[in-house]
Amino acid sequence: MADAVGAACHALSPILTALEHHVFLAERLHGDDTTVPVLAAGKTDIARCWVYVADDKPFGGSSPPAAIFYYSRDRTGDHPQAHLAKWSGIFQADAFPGYGKLYAPDRKPGQIQEAGCWSHARRPFFIHADLQETARRRAKGKKPVVVSPMALEVVRRIDALFEIEREINGQSSENRRALRQERSFPIVEALHVYLEEKRNDFPHTHDLYKAINYMLKRWSAFTLFLDDGRVCLSNNAAERALRGIALGRRSWLFCGSNRGGQRAAAVYSLIVTCKMNGVDPHAWLTDVLGRIAAHPASRINDLLPWHWKASRKEASLAAAA
């Protein structure tokens, strides 16, 4: 089975190259990574799988969404720096220190702008504001999390920002920026003042102090969305792309080798991109693997999931005529 997957990956490698090229044409990318167990001598090591997602739908873009995955044996900044070596634009990700060099102002071939994830920032506050979880823990006789009025207030204000985002999702970047300046900017400015006021109410070791500090230290990244309608409020696109790996680990347990990890990344790239474009991965793989050997190399882009979907639709309409 491993050899069959390897043969399929080799046959599909020209499509993977075209997919990678498409992803890195995007002006804005989502990035994230997750753990991948890989077989080692008498144990499993914890390797990583990285993903970069291009998705212009939130600001009404016409470019098809796509994702490219990479595998690495460890988690160091060298990997994203290599993945993004030829790319510049807006990068939406968490605060992983390994991304740091990407944001250098004199970086070549161009600057990468950091865009913060408000979902990520919201989570530690939500832990101290989750009334339902506190009630559940109390009912089970467990020690409840102390609900913080300050955390509740921060969650309320961040949720107001997400409510605005739901209303403007899919509009043009110009409209999104204008509406954010009008409606989101006052909320963000007031939140900044509130966080500054409340930070010293907690000892430096407290989770809420750390959560406040996390945001204030990266405030320019968190507020970039106010000045650029292309920026999303969260990095959920990358987290959704990784969801299959998180669920799949329970089934496949580990990669057998580094080569297996690389093949897994290739297959995830193709399958996730199919799903993002409303294409059945099984149907796409069955058709493409059956004819790629005879397909002209100059027309390899025709086999990318969104072009394949369009050609199938055209063929169905022609057959029905």
Side-chain angles (χ1 to χ4, degrees):
M1 288 179 69
D3 287 343
V5 172
C9 288
H10 178 74
L12 295 168
S13 59
I15 301 177
L16 191 68
T17 299
L19 177 62
E20 182 181 50
H21 177 72
H22 172 81
V23 168
F24 290 117
L25 285 177
E27 298 174 340
R28 180 183 60 85
L29 290 177
H30 294 270
D32 205 351
D33 66 284
T34 192
T35 56
V36 177
V38 59
L39 197 61
K43 61 175 184 176
T44 56
D45 287 339
I46 302 301
R48 310 299 296 194
C49 202
W50 309 79
V51 68
Y52 302 94
V53 176
D55 187 358
D56 295 349
K57 286 183 179 178
F59 59 90
S62 58
S63 181
I68 191 79
F69 289 73
Y70 297 103
Y71 166 87
S72 68
R73 189 74 181 208
D74 55 27
R75 192 195 194 210
T76 67
D78 293 341
H79 301 298
Q81 290 159 29
H83 302 154
L84 301 173
K86 298 180 180 179
W87 181 81
S88 60
I90 299 166
F91 188 52
Q92 303 217 230
D94 61 24
F96 170 51
Y99 295 141
K101 291 184 178 179
L102 295 172
Y103 307 131
D106 58 347
R107 178 185 177 272
K108 304 297 181 184
Q111 187 177 8
I112 291 180
Q113 289 181 283
E114 179 185 8
C117 174
W118 284 81
S119 288
H120 193 271
R122 178 182 180 275
R123 286 169 193 160
F125 294 104
F126 184 76
I127 290 171
H128 289 270
D130 191 346
L131 297 173
Q132 291 182 345
E133 177 60 21
T134 298
R136 282 194 294 267
R137 292 181 66 86
R138 186 176 285 112
K140 293 179 180 178
K142 296 181 179 179
K143 183 180 179 180
V145 176
V146 177
V147 175
S148 165
M150 176 268 177
L152 278 168
E153 179 62 19
V154 172
V155 169
R156 184 188 68 79
R157 297 188 190 204
I158 294 177
D159 286 351
L161 293 175
F162 276 102
E163 183 61 34
I164 295 169
E165 291 301 303
R166 281 187 281 273
E167 293 178 26
I168 66 175
N169 187 48
Q171 295 188 26
S172 69
S173 59
E174 294 80 8
N175 285 348
R176 281 157 63 91
R177 181 187 180 280
L179 288 168
R180 284 169 171 173
Q181 286 290 318
E182 176 188 346
R183 299 174 60 189
S184 301
F185 180 81
I187 298 173
V188 171
E189 283 292 284
L191 177 60
H192 185 258
V193 173
Y194 186 73
L195 292 174
E196 289 279 13
E197 290 175 351
K198 295 296 182 180
R199 174 163 51 175
N200 292 325
D201 289 354
F202 304 95
H204 290 196
T205 55
H206 197 284
D207 289 345
L208 289 176
Y209 178 90
K210 295 175 183 177
I212 294 171
N213 229 29
Y214 174 84
M215 292 190 71
L216 293 179
K217 282 186 174 181
R218 300 166 180 83
W219 198 248
S220 61
F222 280 109
T223 56
L224 183 63
F225 82 102
L226 295 171
D227 297 313
D228 194 323
R230 297 170 297 173
V231 179
C232 287
L233 205 59
S234 75
N235 195 36
N236 290 349
E239 294 188 4
R240 284 194 298 270
L242 290 173
R243 182 174 173 79
I245 297 179
L247 296 175
R249 281 193 295 258
R250 296 183 180 183
S251 300
W252 47 258
L253 300 181
F254 52 78
C255 296
S257 64
N258 287 339
R259 185 169 60 178
Q262 291 159 2
R263 290 172 175 175
V267 173
Y268 274 118
S269 299
L270 298 169
I271 289 177
V272 170
T273 298
C274 280
K275 290 181 176 181
M276 292 177 74
N277 287 275
V279 172
D280 178 359
H282 183 267
W284 180 82
L285 283 166
T286 301
D287 182 66
V288 169
L289 284 172
R291 60 192 180 96
I292 192 171
H295 192 82
S298 60
R299 293 174 50 203
I300 202 68
N301 281 359
D302 293 352
L303 300 180
L304 289 167
W306 53 90
H307 290 312
W308 179 88
K309 180 181 179 181
S311 65
R312 291 281 292 243
K313 185 176 181 180
E314 290 174 2
S316 296
L317 291 173

